[in-house]
Amino acid sequence: MSNNLTLRPDLRNVADWINPNASVLDLGCGDGSLLAWLSGNKRVQGYGVEIDVDGVTACVEKHVDVIQTDLESGLGTFQDNTFDYVVLSLTIQAMHNIENILLEMLRVGRTGIVTFPNFGFWENRWQLALGRMPVSETIPYEWYNTPNIHLCTIYDFGRLLNKLGMKTTGQVVMHQGQKVSFLPNLRGSLALVRFDKA
């Protein structure tokens, strides 16, 4: 059964990395759009994890299996190697223990996929040079009301993966829904990284 739901461009790229009939855990799944699309178009079996009540309600309305819990407490609910893919989309920058969630992702899954705002984007650099904290499409909050506590560049994230014994197996950098291939750390506002154990 095909699903006519339209995905955001970043989620469409994430979906392109996921094989048909795979098992997927979507952490911070929001309204469940990615899992609903994958279920309808790629026959994926999946679970979402979401803390926000409105997100959980939206998932249920889309017939997405969802667990309401805080990711900071870890993924102890799930056994080792339960999923083919574990996705963390636009959530990692708001987490306190990033190293732990990345390790947990590859404990419960074979492949991790993370998307995050690229702090190395030229507009962010320019705003810092002008003496103010960046506000942009991918970092839409002021410094005093942001949930984002750990901002990084594409290079920073790659270095963290290496430190944790992981390797990048795919990367897409985007700006305003379009892929950026030339000088991606400078010209891309959003990074999508697929990774496995090294």
Side-chain angles (χ1 to χ4, degrees):
M1 172 173 92
S2 181
N3 187 326
N4 291 328
L5 180 71
T6 302
L7 290 177
R8 294 186 326 238
D10 58 314
L11 292 181
R12 181 61 209 206
N13 280 277
V14 168
D16 287 346
W17 279 338
I18 295 174
N19 293 327
N21 302 307
S23 56
V24 176
L25 179 63
D26 188 359
L27 305 174
C29 65
D31 67 2
S33 293
L34 176 63
L35 285 171
W37 190 94
L38 288 168
S39 175
N41 292 281
K42 289 195 167 186
R43 299 173 310 282
V44 161
Q45 300 285 329
Y47 286 93
V49 176
E50 179 59 46
I51 194 168
D52 181 69
V53 172
D54 293 335
V56 171
T57 301
C59 287
V60 171
E61 290 171 355
K62 289 181 174 81
H63 307 287
V64 169
D65 292 326
V66 62
I67 298 167
Q68 185 177 18
T69 191
D70 183 359
L71 294 176
E72 296 290 356
S73 61
L75 303 177
T77 307
F78 303 102
Q79 295 180 358
D80 295 359
N81 301 311
T82 303
F83 299 95
D84 296 313
Y85 301 92
V86 181
V87 177
L88 185 65
S89 178
L90 294 176
T91 303
I92 200 166
Q93 71 279 358
M95 297 198 65
H96 290 277
N97 194 340
I98 291 175
E99 293 177 62
N100 184 59
I101 197 64
L102 293 173
L103 291 167
E104 282 284 273
M105 287 174 73
L106 289 191
R107 179 186 65 77
V108 303
R110 285 177 268 297
T111 298
I113 300 172
V114 171
T115 72
F116 58 91
N118 175 28
F119 205 65
F121 179 51
W122 76 268
E123 287 183 17
N124 297 334
R125 296 178 194 209
W126 179 248
Q127 289 181 55
L128 284 169
L130 293 176
R132 60 180 182 254
M133 287 299 292
V135 176
S136 66
E137 179 182 353
T138 56
I139 307 172
Y141 300 96
E142 295 288 346
W143 67 270
Y144 53 84
N145 67 0
T146 184
N148 300 322
I149 56 174
H150 291 114
L151 298 169
C152 69
T153 70
I154 296 163
Y155 295 133
D156 293 330
F157 189 74
R159 286 177 41 217
L160 177 57
L161 290 180
N162 288 337
K163 175 187 171 195
L164 297 176
M166 302 172 185
K167 63 180 177 185
T168 299
T169 58
Q171 178 177 289
V172 173
V173 180
M174 305 181 77
H175 180 62
Q176 296 182 334
Q178 301 297 315
K179 290 182 181 180
V180 175
S181 55
F182 178 68
L183 297 174
N185 196 43
L186 184 65
R187 297 179 59 240
S189 58
L190 182 66
L192 296 76
V193 179
R194 185 182 64 216
F195 57 96
D196 295 330
K197 292 177 184 170

